[in-house]
Amino acid sequence: MDKILVHGGPALRGNVRISGSKNSALPILAATLLTKEPCIIHRVPDLSDIHYMLTILSELGCEVERASGTVQIKAETVITDAPYDIVRKMRASVCVLGPLLGREKEATVSLPGGCVIGDRPIDLHLRGFEALGAAVRVQAGNVKVLAPELRGATINMRGKFGSTVLGTDNIMMAAVLAEGTTVIDGAAEEPEVVDLADFLNKMGAKIEGAGTRRIIIEGVKELHGAEHTVIPDRIEAGTFLVAAAICGEEVTLQKVAPAHLVSVTEPLQRAGYFVEANCDTITVRRNGGCLPLELETQPYPGFPTDMQAQMCALLATSQGISVITEHVFPQRFMHLAELKRMGANIELQGATAVINGVDQLSGAPVMASDLRASAALVLAGLTADGVTEINRVYHIDRGYESIDDKLNQLGAKIERVKGSK
Ligand code: UD1
C-alpha cells in the first residue's frame, strides 16, 4: 500500500486549481441511468470513488467513455442488480437505487454497512421509496425496492441528525419519473443537491426548490440526454483553505464557488486570517496569530462535517482552547488519536473535541482512518517538526485529486512511496 511522507516546514504560496466536486459527480453519474440517451459530464474528478461509480455503471449495462475530466455515458439497456463486490467498496453506490427504481421500477443493491465515521443507516432513503409506492425488502445483505408504479407523495427527509444528502438525491431521482407531484420536506440544502437537480432539469425533469428545505418535483414520462459541468469541490477547496491557514504565506484557490464556502471562510476570518473572495477565487493570507474557535458541524449552510477533521488539525496549533462539536456524525473523531500521537492536546467529551493549542506538532507515523481524517493528517504534517508518515493513503485517493502534487506545487515537500497493493 502507498504511503505519504510529509516533511514539515516549508511555507505555501501560489495558486491552486480546485477540481470538480466528488459529492456532486457521484449522484450525477448515477442519474445518467435515467435515460437511454447519451449524457456528457464535464469536470469529473479523477478519484477512486469516481472509478468505482463508473465501474458500477458499466456492470449495470452502461457504455462509459472517459477522456480526462469528461465522461460520456449511455445507458441504453440496464440491469437492476448492482454487483456486491464493487458496491461494498463505496457507500455512495447506494445512490443508484433511486434512478434504477425511477426507470425500471425495481433495484437491488447491497446494504451499506457501518464505517469508521459511525453507523451509516439508509432508513430515510427507504422510507422515501415506500412513500412513492415501492415495496422495500431487506434480505441476505441486500435491499430490494420494487414498485409496479411510482406515485408522487409528500415525504419528510429529516432524521435525528438533520436531513440526508444522498437520501434527498435518491428520492429526487426516483420521483422525476413518478406519476404526479412529489414534495420533499426537510430536504438537504447542500449545493451538491442543487447541482444534481440542475442536471436532472437539463434532462427534462421538472424540479423546483432545490437548495431550500422544500423540493417540488412534477413527474414526467421520460428524460433525455444532457450535458453538464460539475460544480467545484467545496470540501477540497476548504481543505486547501485550511492548509493555507496552517502554513501559507499567501495562497489563492482558483475555480471555486466562494458562496459555497462561507461557513469555512467566516471562521478563518474570525480566527484572524485574511480571506478575500472574488468571483471564482479565494485568497488566504496569514494575518498574525491564529485565535481559537468554537465550531459546530451542521448540515449546509452550517459548518460542514467534512471539514471538521481538517479544522481540528489547524486548531491543534492555535493559541488557546478551541471547541468543535460534531452534530452530523457524532462518532467522527478517529483522527484525534492520530493527532495526539503528533503531540496535539485534545480531549474528547461526548461529541465535542476540546483542543488546547500547542506550539508545534511533531512528525510521527500515523494511520489514515477515513477520507477527511487522512487529509487532516497531511495538513498537520505540513507544520509538524520532522516527517509525518501517513499509512493507508488509499483513503485520501478516494476524494482528493493529486493532493500531494497540488500541495507540492504550492511549495510543500510531500513524497508518495509506492508500496505493494
Ligand atoms: C453525504 C456526503 C458526505 C457528508 C455527508 C454529510 C456524499 C457522497 N457524501 O453523505 O461526504 O459527510 O453527506 O454532509 O455526498 N442518516 C440517517 N438515515 C438515513 C441517512 C442518513 O439517520 O437514511 C443520518 C446519517 O447517519 C448522518 C446524517 O443523517 O448522521 C447525515 O447523513 P447523510 O446526509 O445521509 O450523509 P450522506 O448523504 O451519506
Side-chain angles (χ1 to χ4, degrees), residues 308 312 333-341 346-348 353:
Q308 181 256 107
C312 283
F333 282 113
M334 296 292 282
H335 45 283
L336 297 190
E338 304 301 305
L339 289 173
K340 282 176 163 178
R341 299 190 63 245
I346 308 178
E347 200 191 314
L348 189 59

Side-chain angles (χ1 to χ4, degrees), residues 28-39 41 173 176-177 196-206 220 222-228:
I28 285 173
L29 293 171
T32 63
L33 287 165
L34 283 161
T35 176
K36 292 174 188 241
E37 294 184 15
C39 293
I41 317 296
M173 290 190 279
V176 285
L177 292 179
L196 173 64
D198 286 346
F199 175 58
L200 291 168
N201 282 340
K202 286 181 188 170
M203 296 172 82
K206 291 190 176 156
V220 296
E222 61 178 7
L223 298 183
H224 51 75
E227 191 165 352
H228 186 74

Side-chain angles (χ1 to χ4, degrees), residues 22-24 26-27 91-92 117 119-126 159-167 169 188 190 192 234 299 305-306 327-330 332 372:
K22 166 180 89 74
N23 288 354
S24 255
L26 289 170
R91 192 184 174 280
I117 68 175
D119 185 23
R120 303 280 300 260
I122 57 163
D123 55 311
L124 299 168
H125 304 228
L126 301 184
K160 63 178 172 176
F161 299 112
S163 189
T164 158
V165 178
L166 288 177
D169 290 345
E190 270 67 4
E192 294 77 16
R234 66 191 166 98
T305 173
D306 284 351
H327 290 298
V328 180
F329 293 110
R332 189 176 204 174
R372 307 305 170 186

Side-chain angles (χ1 to χ4, degrees), residues 172-218:
M172 248 184 353
M173 290 190 279
V176 285
L177 292 179
E179 183 82 30
T181 307
T182 298
V183 177
I184 306 179
D185 277 325
E189 297 168 84
E190 270 67 4
E192 294 77 16
V193 174
V194 179
D195 204 23
L196 173 64
D198 286 346
F199 175 58
L200 291 168
N201 282 340
K202 286 181 188 170
M203 296 172 82
K206 291 190 176 156
I207 303 174
E208 281 178 14
T212 72
R213 287 194 188 162
R214 170 171 280 201
I215 299 178
I216 300 171
I217 303 152
E218 206 65 60

Side-chain angles (χ1 to χ4, degrees), residues 55-350:
T55 309
I56 293 168
L57 294 177
S58 301
E59 296 273 340
L60 290 174
C62 302
E63 287 168 38
V64 177
E65 277 175 44
R66 181 175 192 167
S68 64
T70 294
V71 176
Q72 175 155 347
I73 301 177
K74 189 168 174 210
E76 195 152 14
T77 52
V78 293
I79 56 166
T80 57
D81 218 333
Y84 170 72
D85 263 4
I86 306 160
V87 167
R88 75 184 167 84
K89 291 186 180 159
M90 182 181 64
R91 192 184 174 280
S93 35
V94 75
C95 68
V96 300
L97 269 175
L100 286 176
L101 181 65
R103 171 165 165 174
E104 299 293 327
K105 308 295 176 261
E106 66 169 277
T108 305
V109 173
S110 276
L111 209 52
C115 64
V116 291
I117 68 175
D119 185 23
R120 303 280 300 260
I122 57 163
D123 55 311
L124 299 168
H125 304 228
L126 301 184
R127 202 171 76 189
F129 293 140
E130 280 175 338
L132 292 174
V136 174
R137 220 176 53 217
V138 176
Q139 205 176 32
N142 295 320
V143 53
K144 186 176 175 76
V145 285
L146 181 69
E149 56 174 10
L150 288 174
R151 289 193 169 277
T154 296
I155 300 165
N156 196 315
M157 293 307 290
R158 229 179 140 70
K160 63 178 172 176
F161 299 112
S163 189
T164 158
V165 178
L166 288 177
T168 303
D169 290 345
N170 249 336
I171 301 310
M172 248 184 353
M173 290 190 279
V176 285
L177 292 179
E179 183 82 30
T181 307
T182 298
V183 177
I184 306 179
D185 277 325
E189 297 168 84
E190 270 67 4
E192 294 77 16
V193 174
V194 179
D195 204 23
L196 173 64
D198 286 346
F199 175 58
L200 291 168
N201 282 340
K202 286 181 188 170
M203 296 172 82
K206 291 190 176 156
I207 303 174
E208 281 178 14
T212 72
R213 287 194 188 162
R214 170 171 280 201
I215 299 178
I216 300 171
I217 303 152
E218 206 65 60
V220 296
K221 286 268 174 287
E222 61 178 7
L223 298 183
H224 51 75
E227 191 165 352
H228 186 74
T229 300
V230 172
I231 58 169
D233 195 309
R234 66 191 166 98
I235 304 301
E236 187 202 16
T239 303
F240 276 93
L241 287 176
V242 172
I246 284 182
C247 61
E249 275 175 7
E250 180 166 314
V251 172
T252 298
L253 277 52
Q254 296 174 323
K255 297 259 174 204
V256 286
H260 297 166
L261 281 153
V262 174
S263 62
V264 180
T265 50
E266 190 273 328
L268 287 178
Q269 283 169 320
R270 248 189 301 137
Y273 295 96
F274 169 85
V275 181
E276 186 181 53
N278 281 308
C279 137
D280 68 347
T281 64
I282 304 180
T283 298
V284 186
R285 203 166 51 229
R286 231 173 221 285
N287 202 15
C290 174
L291 304 171
L293 288 173
E294 278 191 30
L295 292 169
E296 298 188 13
T297 68
Q298 297 286 359
Y300 190 84
F303 178 72
T305 173
D306 284 351
M307 284 301 303
Q308 181 256 107
Q310 301 89 313
M311 203 54 107
C312 283
L314 171 68
L315 297 173
T317 54
S318 302
Q319 273 177 10
I321 295 178
S322 296
V323 175
I324 303 190
T325 301
E326 177 56 70
H327 290 298
V328 180
F329 293 110
Q331 296 168 40
R332 189 176 204 174
F333 282 113
M334 296 292 282
H335 45 283
L336 297 190
E338 304 301 305
L339 289 173
K340 282 176 163 178
R341 299 190 63 245
M342 297 175 71
N345 181 351
I346 308 178
E347 200 191 314
L348 189 59
Q349 297 173 0

